[in-house]
């Protein structure tokens, strides 16, 4: 995977959302609340730690809603954060309704560069939308 501008731009967006804090620590298992919008949930995904390089940590970002008593994600993304070199890369995308799941690295030694580009662009747009919705200011 080649590091591109979108990877560093998305890192900066995570900083703006205070997911990556001023001291460069990463939030874990937190919820951002912004009135009138779905909460943003961030969680560590330790099974993805060191997946792309020794410095990367795995995380997920998600919105959830309730339908027929079930929690549904819309969307749920797993990402790699490299705090040392200040970049972020998408790993996977999922939504529950309608069911859809895609992974940049679906199995060992398999890489889907076109999907990686598409998911990083979606992540960029979503993070900017979260910033525009005033997410990242009130964390629980």
């Amino acid at each position: 995977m080649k590091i591109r501008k979108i990877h560093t731009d998305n890192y900066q967006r995570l900083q703006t959302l205070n997911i990556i804090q001023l001291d460069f620590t990463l939030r874990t298992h937190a919820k951002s609340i912004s009135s009138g919008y779905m909460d943003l949930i961030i969680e560590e995904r330790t099974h993805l730690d060191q997946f792309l390089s020794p410095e990367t940590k795995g995380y997920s970002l998600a919105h959830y809603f309730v339908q027929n008593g079930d929690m549904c994600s819309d969307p749920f993304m797993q990402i790699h954060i490299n705090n040392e070199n200040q970049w972020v890369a998408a790993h996977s995308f999922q939504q529950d309704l309608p069911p859809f799941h895609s992974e940049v690295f679906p199995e060992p030694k398999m890489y889907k560069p076109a999907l990686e580009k598409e998911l990083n662009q979606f992540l960029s747009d979503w993070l900017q939308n979260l910033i525009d919705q005033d997410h990242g200011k009130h964390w629980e």
Side-chain angles (χ1 to χ4, degrees):
M1 183 188 87
K2 179 182 174 189
I3 303 304
R4 297 185 305 270
K5 185 175 184 321
I6 197 163
H7 296 107
T8 57
D9 288 349
N10 283 343
Y11 184 90
Q12 291 171 350
R13 286 181 177 92
L14 290 181
Q15 287 178 308
T16 301
L17 288 164
N18 294 309
I19 292 170
I20 300 170
Q21 299 173 75
L22 292 176
D23 63 358
F24 295 100
T25 58
L26 299 166
R27 288 191 186 275
T28 60
H29 309 303
K31 175 170 55 174
S32 171
I33 299 170
S34 183
S35 181
Y37 299 102
M38 291 173 39
D39 296 343
L40 173 67
I41 310 298
I42 180 170
E43 297 179 292
E44 287 182 299
R45 296 289 181 204
T46 56
H47 68 282
L48 292 178
D49 287 356
Q50 301 180 356
F51 188 89
L52 293 180
S53 71
E55 302 85 21
T56 57
K57 303 282 272 173
Y59 281 84
S60 66
L61 302 170
H63 287 307
Y64 290 97
F65 65 94
V66 177
Q67 181 156 332
N68 300 324
D70 293 326
M71 293 294 291
C72 300
S73 63
D74 182 34
F76 174 92
M77 286 193 80
Q78 294 186 108
I79 61 175
H80 304 279
I81 300 174
N82 186 312
N83 217 13
E84 185 174 313
N85 298 306
Q86 300 186 348
W87 57 263
V88 174
H91 180 84
S92 65
F93 173 91
Q94 176 179 314
Q95 68 183 28
D96 290 338
L97 295 173
F100 180 79
H101 178 84
S102 60
E103 289 191 42
V104 175
F105 307 95
E107 53 189 71
K109 298 184 182 180
M110 181 181 249
Y111 169 56
K112 296 181 175 181
L115 179 62
E116 191 254 343
K117 183 177 180 182
E118 178 183 332
L119 292 186
N120 279 312
Q121 185 58 59
F122 176 86
L123 178 62
S124 176
D125 294 343
W126 184 27
L127 293 175
Q128 186 58 56
N129 190 45
L130 292 167
I131 291 166
D132 294 344
Q133 293 174 351
D134 283 334
H135 270 288
K137 296 180 180 173
H138 305 285
W139 287 95
E140 289 184 358

